[in-house]
Amino acid sequence: MRFGLLGAVTVNGGGVGSAKARALLATLLSTPGRVVTPETLKAAMWGEDPPATATASLHNHVARLRRLLAEDGRDASRLRAVPPGYVLEVAAGELDAAEFVRHHAEARTAHRAEDWPAVQRECAAALALWRGDPLADVPALSDPMRAYAAHLAEARLQALEWRFDAELALGRHQGMTAELAALTAAHPLREPFHRQWMLALHRTHRQAEALAAFHDLRRTLVDELGVEPGPAVQAAYHEVLAAAPEEPQEQEPVSPPAQLPADTGDFTGRGGELAALLAAIRPHGPDAPRVAVVTGMGGIGKTALAVHAAHLARADFPDGVLYVDLRGFGAGQPRRPRDLLARFLGDLCTTAGSGTGTAQPLPDDQDDLSSLLRQALHGRRVLLVLDNAADAAQVVPLLPGRGDSAVIVTSRRTLADLPGAVRLPLEPLGAEEQHRLLVAVCGPSRVAAEPDAAAGVLAACGGLPLALRIAGARLAARPNWPLTALAERLDSAGDRLHALAAGGLAVQDTFAMSYLAMRDSPQAADREAARAFRLLGLWPGHPLAHAPAAALLGREPAAAEDLLEALVDTHLLQTPQPGRYRFHDLLGEYAAGRAAEEVPPRVRENGLRRLLVWYVATVAGTAELLAPEGHPIPPLHEQPAVPPREFSSEEAALRWCVKELPAIKEAVRQAAAHGWSDVAWRLAAGLFGYAQAYWWTGEWETCLLDALACAEETGDVQGRAWMHSRLGVSYGMSDRVGPCLEHLEVARLYFETAGDLQGQAAILNNLSGLHRALGDNARALEYGRKSLDLHYAVGDADRVATVLGNLGDAHLGAGDSAAAIACYRRALAMWRERGVLTSTARSLTSLGEALRTVGRYDEAVAALEETVLLLDRIGDRGSTADTLEVLGRTHYDRGDLAAARKSWERALELARAHCLEAKAEAVLAGLARLDADDGAATYDGDSYDGGT
């Protein structure tokens, strides 16, 4: 934000309301950052005799000023009520009067040291800030404000005097006389202007006029004040009389370089980054040079931010601004540091022979040229903007040697090896900044008229400023288009990059600059990174860790990590957390295009299959850890190119499944699309461990159906058997008995056709559990005993505990609680020995239910409460609802109605949260019994004692 007092009072170049509002703001700005009392403010607004309503009116004016500061995103919080008054916070560089005072102080120091170039430079910078008389549109109603305005005006006159002293000392007296004639007329008693006018006239060979000027001044002083001219004027008079033989040689004035490109007129957002960049380059000591590096992906707005900041900071660099596009990325060869050194030396009007009066050839050695540039910049305040750097080696030779100058570097690489730099990585714009930019480029009315379409455009642009500007440009060029038309074009799958082009701007071309610089690089490492970028385009929509990325790339994990980090360094890849890598949405689409166009089909298939095989092996590992009782999945014939991930605990395996589920679902879809049934069904089957805790989400069922369709299309008998088996289990978990039985029977036939005895044993066990649920305990016991015999026959003792659990259920259903308890205890001991939490929890639940039926309530409650703790630990909310329902019944049966209500209410909350309708109905029935019992106790007044 910019405040102006050196002329009319302004905020960001615009006027400020009423005269009283201007007086209020001017008074606050006269002591920025310091408390101003209400009395002082009222005196400035109404004079020394304010009306009785002044206090209330002051509050209203303060409120209106806050609203003014809040317009267009300005920060109204800078105007605060602080006892005993108000304070307006103003940052460095925001107030023209404060900037004038700073330059004035620098000029005073230089004047005392007779450093005439510095005097001329500082005075010019100070005087350039003036737009007219200070506080020109503020009524001078209070003594402090009149004194403040007079102080500023006097300081301006003093700066003029010092500037004329410097120009006379430097021999630049040509052109001074007209300005000095006007000043002497306006200030007839100000001797310094008369002295300077006399010298300027004399040194332009106008001695007679110089002598006349002296006599006019003397006459005025004698007539009005009764005094003679002072010593300085007398000395100038004698110089004219003596016709001094030696005049300073006039030096041709040289304008400082001003090479910045035009600023972005509607620059929007990046407030934090802009403030950090300005703080990094503005003067704060003469030590190391101030270097700020702005990095980010193509189209993120690096150059716009750098140029905008450079324009805002121009007054801090009166010796000029140098700008160069280093061409690190894009058309043409990168600029050579030696060529740029020669150009900068020429721009600064310096040569190797500076100070000798003759120009000499520049040295050939780059280090010598760097030394000359540092010498030329010494003592000057110059800003260098080095845009689009390829690497640090291109930048280092161009850096100044001391802190008087500053440098802004932009690059698509991180330039981690650039010493002593402040780094400002740019991320995509946030939602609010995106919206403001879209409003700025295509108008507020169109955005407000179609908020849903505007949201679609913003989502498609992914926070990339270039994409948003292109979208805005297309809309601006088509005023009759609704936003919906562009939103629909951008929503077309795989076609966004084509839509994000307008005139000479295209997001795709911007991405291509980064990619082609690597692909066509003479460096083998860069070309290898470009190959990695193409192959990663086969998997653009999901993050990857080192190991799966290594599998996709066909490289060792350490080498793959180096390639991933190289892509991060060039902002072609993001790393949201250590060890995880992903594309920006639009870059992922571009990478997919490179993969489709530049990678041969066989190479694409091999890379994708390596990745999917790695997922098969890792998913299978989670199933072995989370559901060891399950039917073991036959491994693929091929080994993963990179070792699969291993897990230290069930919790770690389950967390990985939850995090990677979107990628696993995509892997199933990709395998099905390529006809790789062996991969698709193994991935889906391997999610059995995940489904133990998250069956209620429906995600597993989706994967199973996709894989089954692939197995049927390819005629994969084994895949059909496994998918029908797993679908039966999935439907059984959600109490959908009919589909469960249908799929299990089909799976049994396929396993028999394939001669898979283990598969048959698993299906028999599942059928045992299903018939128990249907109430056919005889068939449940029959299937269970067959399954147990078949498991022993094939030597598969690991699955015996699972069969024992189902046999226990069948015995319990048949009324043989003792046999059920014996089966449950045998199964529980096996699961505890193996440390399988999910199966331990299921056995404890079954045991608690059996103990409840025989009235052993304390043992039942202990088993069920341990189950709840285990399920909470692993995050299985659906099974927790089941267990709490049983626990509620157990408490009810033993007469602890308060505990029963507590268990059932929590079970109801979980059942409703996870859409478990049957479970919710069972819990509601229990709660209804409790309510009925409470009502009966209340009604029977003779027997009710308030207890349970």
Side-chain angles (χ1 to χ4, degrees):
M1 186 174 292
R2 293 283 180 171
F3 298 100
L5 295 180
L6 303 180
V9 176
T10 61
V11 177
N12 281 351
V16 179
S18 66
K20 287 184 172 52
R22 295 192 293 273
L24 171 63
L25 178 58
T27 307
L28 291 166
L29 288 173
S30 67
T31 56
R34 295 168 59 186
V35 178
V36 183
T37 65
E39 289 70 25
T40 301
L41 294 172
K42 286 187 284 186
M45 297 168 71
W46 286 280
E48 300 304 326
D49 188 20
T53 59
T55 298
S57 182
L58 172 62
H59 294 322
N60 292 334
H61 279 90
V62 168
R64 282 194 287 271
L65 181 55
R66 283 200 178 105
R67 287 196 294 272
L68 170 66
L69 297 179
E71 288 178 2
D72 299 327
R74 301 170 192 156
D75 185 4
S77 65
R78 63 171 70 222
L79 176 53
R80 297 178 291 113
V82 177
Y86 297 94
V87 63
L88 179 59
E89 300 291 348
V90 179
E94 289 188 327
L95 176 60
D96 60 359
E99 288 295 284
F100 169 75
V101 169
R102 182 171 66 81
H103 288 299
H104 186 273
E106 294 285 346
R108 175 189 292 110
T109 301
H111 191 271
R112 288 172 179 168
E114 296 186 356
D115 183 355
W116 302 118
V119 173
Q120 197 278 335
R121 181 175 64 245
E122 293 297 337
C123 288
L127 295 168
L129 296 166
W130 284 72
R131 296 170 285 108
D133 293 336
L135 313 179
D137 55 352
V138 176
L141 298 178
S142 70
D143 291 340
M145 292 309 293
R146 283 192 290 269
Y148 179 64
H151 168 73
L152 290 173
E154 173 60 28
R156 176 178 176 272
L157 294 176
Q158 196 170 48
L160 283 167
E161 293 174 4
W162 293 341
R163 193 194 82 191
F164 291 133
D165 280 344
E167 291 179 347
L168 286 167
L170 295 169
R172 300 172 185 172
H173 36 260
Q174 298 290 344
M176 290 173 52
T177 55
E179 187 176 1
L180 282 166
L183 287 168
T184 56
H187 306 279
L189 301 179
R190 197 171 187 96
E191 293 189 39
F193 287 151
H194 288 273
R195 179 185 65 83
Q196 292 161 340
W197 188 31
M198 290 165 55
L199 292 174
L201 289 168
H202 164 57
R203 292 176 185 177
T204 53
H205 311 292
R206 298 162 67 182
Q207 281 84 354
E209 293 175 76
L211 292 171
F214 170 77
H215 291 300
D216 288 341
L217 171 63
R218 181 178 181 278
R219 185 180 305 109
T220 300
L221 292 174
V222 171
D223 290 346
E224 295 192 19
L225 303 178
V227 299
E228 292 286 339
V233 175
Q234 295 283 358
Y237 174 61
H238 290 297
E239 179 182 329
V240 176
L241 287 175
E246 185 80 21
E247 295 182 11
Q249 184 66 36
E250 181 177 358
Q251 300 173 12
E252 188 68 25
V254 178
S255 299
Q259 301 175 352
L260 278 179
D263 197 1
T264 303
D266 55 0
F267 186 89
T268 304
R270 301 288 189 204
E273 295 93 335
L274 180 60
L277 181 54
L278 289 171
I281 64 173
R282 279 183 165 149
H284 47 72
D287 299 325
R290 302 183 299 279
V291 181
V293 180
V294 182
T295 62
M297 62 186 287
I300 203 69
K302 302 179 294 297
T303 299
L305 175 65
V307 170
H308 186 61
H311 276 284
L312 292 177
R314 274 187 306 177
D316 294 300
F317 300 96
D319 296 316
V321 181
L322 300 173
Y323 172 86
V324 64
D325 180 356
L326 296 173
R327 299 180 192 160
F329 299 87
Q333 293 297 314
R335 304 289 295 273
R336 296 191 309 161
R338 188 197 180 287
D339 296 339
L340 294 173
L341 287 165
R343 198 200 94 179
F344 285 167
L345 288 168
D347 294 338
L348 294 168
C349 297
T350 187
T351 67
S354 291
T356 68
T358 59
Q360 298 179 5
L362 291 172
D364 292 327
D365 187 78
Q366 179 173 295
D367 291 340
D368 292 341
L369 285 169
S370 293
S371 298
L372 279 179
L373 179 64
R374 291 192 294 272
Q375 179 182 352
L377 291 171
H378 179 71
R380 295 185 178 184
R381 295 218 297 266
V382 176
L383 177 61
L384 291 82
V385 180
L386 309 179
D387 194 17
N388 193 16
D391 50 35
Q394 196 181 22
V395 172
V396 170
L398 307 176
L399 298 181
R402 286 178 58 80
D404 302 309
S405 295
V407 184
I408 301 176
V409 183
T410 74
S411 180
R412 300 188 184 194
R413 288 194 169 98
T414 57
L415 305 189
D417 50 344
L418 190 63
V422 175
R423 286 176 171 77
L424 297 171
L426 298 187
E427 299 294 335
L429 294 175
E432 182 181 348
E433 290 184 328
Q434 292 180 52
H435 186 269
R436 285 168 53 198
L437 180 54
L438 186 62
V439 167
V441 295
C442 69
S445 58
R446 297 176 79 178
V447 175
E450 298 180 85
D452 292 340
V457 171
L458 295 179
C461 292
L464 202 64
L466 176 63
L468 284 164
R469 289 196 175 278
I470 291 173
R474 295 196 68 179
L475 290 168
R478 299 163 177 81
N480 296 324
W481 268 26
L483 259 69
T484 305
L486 181 60
E488 289 173 352
R489 282 168 169 76
L490 293 175
D491 193 41
S492 301
D495 198 37
R496 279 186 302 169
L497 292 177
H498 177 73
L500 287 172
L505 292 177
V507 170
Q508 183 163 273
D509 293 346
T510 299
F511 293 162
M513 293 179 187
S514 297
Y515 166 67
L516 295 176
M518 300 190 82
R519 189 196 70 180
D520 301 336
S521 169
Q523 303 295 325
D526 285 345
R527 297 194 299 274
E528 178 72 1
R531 170 191 177 272
F533 179 80
R534 293 191 294 273
L535 288 176
L536 291 169
L538 300 172
W539 197 252
H542 301 280
L544 283 174
H546 295 145
L552 174 60
L553 301 178
R555 297 291 185 264
E556 292 296 321
E561 182 179 3
D562 290 341
L563 292 171
L564 295 169
E565 288 296 327
L567 292 172
V568 170
D569 286 341
T570 55
H571 292 90
L572 286 171
L573 203 60
Q574 298 173 333
T575 176
Q577 62 190 77
R580 300 275 293 178
Y581 301 88
R582 71 182 181 197
F583 281 117
H584 180 277
D585 200 18
L586 290 170
L587 259 174
E589 189 172 311
Y590 176 75
R594 295 306 92 219
E597 293 184 20
E598 299 183 29
V599 179
R602 176 58 63 184
V603 176
R604 290 201 302 268
E605 289 187 3
N606 290 343
L608 185 61
R609 184 162 180 101
R610 286 194 301 267
L611 174 63
L612 301 192
V613 167
W614 183 89
Y615 269 113
V616 167
T618 302
V619 170
T622 67
E624 291 172 7
L625 191 60
L626 293 169
E629 75 279 12
H631 183 190
I633 303 171
L636 280 168
H637 296 301
E638 59 194 293
Q639 293 298 312
V642 174
R645 176 165 178 173
E646 297 180 355
F647 303 96
S648 59
S649 66
E650 291 180 49
E651 293 91 338
L654 191 56
R655 282 196 302 271
W656 182 88
C657 287
V658 172
K659 180 189 290 186
E660 293 289 335
L661 182 65
I664 297 169
K665 290 171 63 179
E666 177 64 19
V668 173
R669 286 193 290 269
Q670 290 279 4
H674 284 79
W676 297 334
S677 175
D678 56 339
V679 170
W681 71 256
R682 283 178 170 85
L683 282 167
L687 285 174
F688 180 52
Y690 159 83
Q692 300 293 295
Y694 290 97
W695 54 268
W696 45 269
T697 65
E699 300 281 12
W700 187 37
E701 183 180 326
T702 299
C703 292
L704 293 171
L705 291 171
D706 288 345
L708 175 60
C710 179
E712 289 176 342
E713 185 174 341
T714 58
D716 185 343
V717 174
Q718 187 181 33
R720 288 180 181 179
W722 271 91
M723 290 302 91
H724 281 293
S725 171
R726 289 296 200 234
L727 279 166
V729 172
S730 174
Y731 290 133
M733 286 177 170
S734 54
D735 295 332
R736 288 176 285 177
V737 175
C740 172
L741 179 59
E742 177 184 344
H743 282 285
L744 290 178
E745 292 291 1
V746 172
R748 183 181 181 187
L749 293 174
Y750 278 123
F751 278 126
E752 289 175 352
T753 301
D756 186 342
L757 298 180
Q758 279 189 317
Q760 295 174 49
I763 291 298
L764 288 168
N765 182 49
N766 289 334
L767 287 169
S768 172
L770 177 61
H771 283 292
R772 160 67 191 91
L774 292 172
D776 189 347
N777 294 302
R779 294 194 71 183
L781 287 169
E782 176 190 351
Y783 282 128
R785 290 176 180 130
K786 287 182 179 179
S787 175
L788 192 63
D789 292 342
L790 199 52
H791 275 103
Y792 280 126
V794 298
D796 189 7
D798 288 344
R799 251 54 63 184
V800 168
T802 304
V803 182
L804 286 171
N806 281 340
L807 281 171
D809 293 343
H811 283 303
L812 189 64
D816 190 349
S817 298
I821 290 171
C823 286
Y824 293 144
R825 290 195 184 281
R826 286 177 62 193
L828 178 61
M830 292 180 181
W831 292 130
R832 285 193 192 278
E833 182 179 357
R834 294 166 65 180
V836 183
L837 299 182
T838 52
S839 299
T840 300
R842 280 196 299 276
S843 294
L844 281 166
T845 302
S846 299
L847 178 60
E849 173 76 0
L851 291 168
R852 184 190 67 80
T853 61
V854 295
R856 294 160 65 177
Y857 298 122
D858 290 344
E859 294 177 74
V861 167
L864 293 169
E865 287 181 342
E866 182 184 354
T867 304
V868 171
L869 291 175
L870 284 175
L871 294 172
D872 282 342
R873 177 179 167 187
I874 61 179
D876 185 351
R877 303 292 178 249
S879 297
T880 301
D882 288 336
T883 304
L884 286 168
E885 191 274 328
V886 177
L887 182 58
R889 283 190 278 124
T890 306
H891 282 308
Y892 183 87
D893 289 347
R894 72 170 181 172
D896 191 348
L897 303 189
R901 182 178 295 279
K902 182 178 179 181
S903 297
W904 276 336
E905 285 178 346
R906 187 182 171 204
L908 181 61
E909 179 183 350
L910 290 172
R912 284 174 170 169
H914 302 300
C915 303
L916 306 176
E917 296 179 4
K919 187 58 59 184
E921 290 177 5
V923 174
L924 286 170
L927 289 170
R929 288 199 302 274
L930 281 177
D931 292 339
D933 291 346
D934 288 344
T938 302
Y939 181 76
D940 187 359
D942 293 337
S943 62
Y944 179 64
D945 61 1
T948 59

